[in-house]
Amino acid sequence: QVQLVESGGGSVQAGGSLRLSCAASGYLYGTYTIGWFRQAPGMEREGVATIDNRGSTLYADSVKGRFTISKDTAKSTVYLEMNSLKPEDTAKYYCAAGLGKNWRGDVPPAAVMDYWGKGTLVTIYS
């Protein structure tokens, strides 16, 4: 079992920055992928950025160059630094982990992730 707790959401003006944190507890060892997904009202949940046990990162095209994912293994925490925020970034952001999985190319689909946090709301106003 893996427990994920997100924090750091909020409301900021377009062009601003936010940093999300995801504190992980439980069995998160060996091969895994952990990262951020988001879901806007009326939209499907989409991958934003992931990082795996090797430190390899993947980003959605819509956030490349603006968002940075990182992890502090000692603190069992994953971060998402979000800069140059746009109104279209408004969504509920979820932390998710997939055990025994590494990905290449595109961020993995939400359906393959095994554990989810409850999410944190990010609102960007113009």
Side-chain angles (χ1 to χ4, degrees):
Q1 286 287 337
V2 175
Q3 294 78 42
L4 304 168
V5 179
E6 305 95 336
S7 61
S11 181
V12 298
Q13 193 169 19
S17 300
L18 282 173
R19 187 174 82 156
L20 305 183
S21 299
C22 171
S25 59
Y27 188 82
L28 193 62
Y29 300 99
T31 300
Y32 65 84
T33 293
I34 186 167
W36 295 92
F37 293 72
R38 67 187 182 186
Q39 188 167 21
M43 304 292 286
E44 291 189 358
R45 194 168 296 188
E46 62 175 359
V48 175
T50 60
I51 188 167
D52 66 21
N53 53 288
R54 305 162 299 173
S56 296
T57 58
L58 295 171
Y59 294 93
D61 288 343
S62 58
V63 306
K64 283 180 182 176
R66 301 189 297 122
F67 291 10
T68 303
I69 190 170
S70 61
K71 64 183 174 79
D72 185 330
T73 303
K75 295 183 179 180
S76 298
T77 301
V78 177
Y79 303 98
L80 184 68
E81 187 75 38
M82 306 187 293
N83 298 313
S84 302
L85 284 160
K86 304 175 181 180
E88 52 262 44
D89 294 318
T90 294
K92 195 165 189 179
Y93 283 69
Y94 297 88
C95 182
L99 302 186
K101 304 177 178 73
N102 285 156
W103 287 85
R104 295 180 180 179
D106 294 327
V107 291
V112 305
M113 305 304 277
D114 301 307
Y115 298 96
W116 292 86
K118 294 183 178 180
T120 185
L121 188 61
V122 171
T123 303
I124 312 302
Y125 59 91
S126 56

